[in-house]
Amino acid sequence: MDPHFVEGKFNPYPTEGSLLKYHIPTFKAAIAAGVSSVMPYYAFPSNTSADQGLPWYSKTQQFEEVCFALNKAIITDLLRGQLGFKG
């Protein structure tokens, strides 16, 4: 669903590890190619998701429910911290 509408606001990841397995490889490839910017997405990661193997936001929430583009765990911790994105 489109995240510009209420119905598409959250992205659930029902399969354990699917965020890292299916979505992050494209970011890894882009970072390896030297891109200067990326656009993660407008949607929010959903806390109804199966465990995605990332550090949890809190004791009760896997994700901070703010859009991926502004999400510290995704931008600062994962893309910049773990994957070395410099943009």
Side-chain angles (χ1 to χ4, degrees):
M1 300 189 139
D2 188 329
H4 293 95
F5 301 102
V6 174
E7 297 84 10
K9 182 176 177 179
F10 289 97
N11 273 8
Y13 295 93
T15 304
E16 187 172 320
S18 60
L19 176 63
L20 294 175
K21 185 175 182 180
Y22 299 112
H23 296 275
I24 298 305
T26 57
F27 287 96
K28 286 181 179 178
I31 292 165
V35 298
S36 60
S37 64
V38 295
M39 180 57 203
Y41 208 38
Y42 302 112
F44 297 32
S46 175
N47 280 303
T48 63
S49 297
D51 187 359
Q52 295 304 306
L54 296 169
W56 279 49
Y57 173 68
S58 72
K59 288 182 181 183
T60 59
Q61 289 186 307
Q62 181 171 195
F63 300 108
E64 177 182 16
E65 290 185 338
V66 299
C67 72
F68 284 102
L70 301 175
N71 194 299
K72 180 188 175 296
I74 300 298
I75 301 297
T76 304
D77 300 343
L78 180 61
L79 295 181
R80 290 191 175 134
Q82 290 182 29
L83 302 180
F85 179 57
K86 303 291 184 208

